[in-house]
Amino acid sequence: MRITTRRRKAAGALLATSALVVLAACGGSDSEGGKAVEKLGKTEGKVSILAWPGYVEDGSNDPKVDWVSDFEKQTKCQVTSKTYGTSDEAFNLAKTGDYDVVVASGDLTARMVASKEATEVNTDLIPNYAKVYDFLKDQEWNTFDGKHYGVPHGYGANLLMYNEDEVSPAPTSWSAVFEPGEMSKYKGKITSYDSPIYIADAALYLMKTKPELKIENPYALDEKQFDAAVDLLKEQRKNVGEYWSDYLKEISAFETGDSVIGTTWQVIVNSVEKAKVKAILPEEGATGWSDTWMISSKAKHPNCAYKWLDYIESPKANAQATEYFGEAPNSAEACDFASDPGFCETYKAGDKEFASKLWYWRTPVAECLDGRDVTCMDYSQWTKAWTEIKG
């Protein structure tokens, strides 16, 4: 990640002589260039959070689903929050500077750091970080140049969901939505995620079915590999009824019968009530996410932001949030607080073998993520291609 590295080195030089950095008690982050603070000040009384749906629940959507109120009682930091549907939407919202905390998937974190929208995080100020699974720490989507830019939340797979009454035989492979002969059976009722990062799903399928393309990482595609993935998605486009980024839209589409098969999140599967649906992890594996709580470099309430990061890392709050969303929690201790005794087994929490089948979202960059000495297609090219695919 050449651009990120260069910027980080520049920031490091500017801050080399900085003394102890302390967060101002009255708000405003003394984190010029993104350097992590060394101690916290007085909390500011409020914190603004930008998050995926289902990550910051205060009971207003469901009185039984609330982990925000306890945080507010414990810290006296009042929470306001906004949800987003895609990482691109989140990036644009984060740049407004209206949010102290942003939860970001791996296709966003590098952009947040490179654009200096996120600040380095001092994990020593987040006691619950010590409880997080080691395999979620120090990863390329949350740690840059050896510095932490956030803390892990939960992780999961982009699954294949289908209507059991309409799709037969039951699929076991992504071929159901990528092979022409299979797609045609559900023409107009296939749904796909509406984001450039979905190109990685096609690349993953090709990685497993077209070895001659020599794809080793679905986020590291040279021009030939990229064109093959784009062509596959253009073929799929002929059969897609609608793309979704608003998870409520996909729930509705499956309940009305407008969609019968397509990529999904577990929270959507859990929410569909008016159709008989099932979701699987296809034999090729899947793309997925390992989300990161980040603090904005423009945070107006950085002390409350740190309090939120520690709170949501705590086993109880993390269990509530990840169980509600439908993903694996970030620690083994969280399993003790799940309402469903089988929660962690269902989501294979801490199962390194299962986790190894997932290709977590990452930001495609020109310097190939798989280490090859060739030029890969960067995210701007993915974005342009996605527009062409959708037509």
Side-chain angles (χ1 to χ4, degrees):
M1 299 181 184
R2 184 171 297 155
I3 295 175
T4 301
T5 301
R6 286 177 177 171
R7 290 180 176 178
R8 288 294 308 130
K9 287 182 178 177
L14 288 171
L15 294 164
T17 59
S18 296
L20 183 70
V21 180
V22 181
L23 287 177
C26 59
S29 173
D30 186 7
S31 56
E32 182 183 359
K35 185 176 176 61
V37 299
E38 296 184 15
K39 64 182 294 187
L40 299 180
K42 184 179 179 181
T43 53
E44 301 88 350
K46 54 186 175 181
V47 62
S48 178
I49 301 173
L50 181 62
W52 289 107
Y55 276 26
V56 185
E57 293 295 320
D58 61 3
S60 57
N61 290 322
D62 182 341
K64 298 178 181 178
V65 180
D66 179 9
W67 49 90
V68 169
S69 295
D70 280 348
F71 169 76
E72 293 176 331
K73 291 176 183 176
Q74 293 176 23
T75 65
K76 309 303 181 187
C77 297
Q78 297 298 306
V79 173
T80 57
S81 65
K82 181 177 179 61
T83 61
Y84 58 82
T86 68
S87 293
D88 292 345
E89 181 184 357
F91 190 44
N92 289 328
L93 288 168
K95 288 189 290 187
T96 66
D98 291 340
Y99 305 96
D100 303 303
V101 174
V102 178
V103 66
S105 295
D107 59 333
L108 174 58
T109 52
R111 281 183 281 169
M112 290 285 288
V113 175
S115 62
K116 299 185 178 180
E117 294 298 333
T119 190
E120 184 185 347
V121 169
N122 184 347
T123 56
D124 289 341
L125 301 177
I126 305 172
N128 283 307
Y129 181 72
K131 301 170 183 173
V132 174
Y133 291 124
D134 287 341
F135 72 88
L136 296 178
K137 298 178 179 177
D138 303 318
Q139 296 295 332
E140 60 185 85
W141 53 85
N142 57 37
T143 304
F144 300 86
D145 290 348
K147 298 177 180 178
H148 300 110
Y149 277 83
V151 293
H153 175 68
Y155 62 99
N158 293 312
L159 303 169
L160 178 62
M161 181 166 73
Y162 62 97
N163 184 318
E164 293 183 271
D165 292 329
E166 300 292 335
V167 176
S168 180
T172 60
S173 164
W174 288 112
S175 63
V177 293
F178 283 131
E179 289 298 331
E182 296 187 50
M183 284 191 292
S184 60
K185 293 189 295 183
Y186 311 110
K187 185 177 179 63
K189 294 193 174 184
I190 292 175
T191 186
S192 297
Y193 187 51
D194 188 2
S195 169
I197 205 66
Y198 184 65
I199 294 173
D201 291 58
L204 173 61
Y205 181 68
L206 292 174
M207 185 169 74
K208 300 295 185 180
T209 58
K210 301 289 185 183
E212 63 271 23
L213 289 171
K214 299 180 180 179
I215 296 174
E216 297 182 358
N217 181 326
Y219 306 99
L221 305 176
D222 60 33
E223 186 172 2
K224 180 180 178 181
Q225 297 165 339
F226 185 77
D227 287 347
V230 170
D231 287 346
L232 183 61
L233 289 169
K234 286 181 177 176
E235 187 65 28
Q236 187 199 54
R237 177 69 184 95
K238 302 172 185 175
N239 298 282
V240 171
E242 63 180 26
Y243 294 93
W244 65 274
S245 59
D246 180 343
Y247 80 115
L248 296 175
K249 183 178 178 181
E250 192 183 36
I251 293 170
S252 176
F254 268 83
E255 291 189 336
T256 60
D258 290 339
S259 296
V260 299
I261 189 168
T263 188
T264 194
W265 301 333
Q266 188 64 48
V267 66
I268 295 172
V269 183
N270 298 344
S271 301
V272 174
E273 297 179 345
K274 299 178 182 178
K276 188 179 180 183
V277 298
K278 186 175 182 179
I280 62 165
L281 177 66
E283 59 194 29
E284 297 88 358
T287 60
W289 68 90
S290 175
D291 291 345
T292 301
W293 289 101
M294 311 182 84
I295 296 178
S296 170
S297 59
K298 303 170 187 172
K300 300 178 180 66
H301 314 100
N303 296 295
C304 278
Y306 262 93
K307 292 295 184 184
W308 173 261
L309 261 60
D310 187 50
Y311 175 80
I312 200 65
E313 292 292 279
S314 68
K316 181 179 180 181
N318 187 258
Q320 291 175 294
T322 56
E323 186 174 14
Y324 178 68
F325 186 82
E327 60 186 336
N330 67 7
S331 72
E333 291 183 46
C335 300
D336 296 334
F337 292 90
S339 61
D340 176 3
F343 167 60
C344 283
E345 181 178 355
T346 298
Y347 292 97
K348 301 184 184 303
D351 186 334
K352 294 181 182 179
E353 183 179 351
F354 173 79
S356 70
K357 297 176 182 176
L358 308 183
W359 286 88
Y360 300 112
W361 283 343
R362 300 171 201 182
T363 306
V365 293
E367 188 172 344
C368 289
L369 296 171
D370 58 8
R372 286 179 296 159
D373 188 21
V374 297
T375 300
C376 277
M377 308 298 277
D378 66 21
Y379 193 70
S380 67
Q381 293 165 306
W382 285 49
T383 300
K384 181 181 178 182
W386 185 245
T387 300
E388 294 173 356
I389 290 166
K390 291 179 61 181

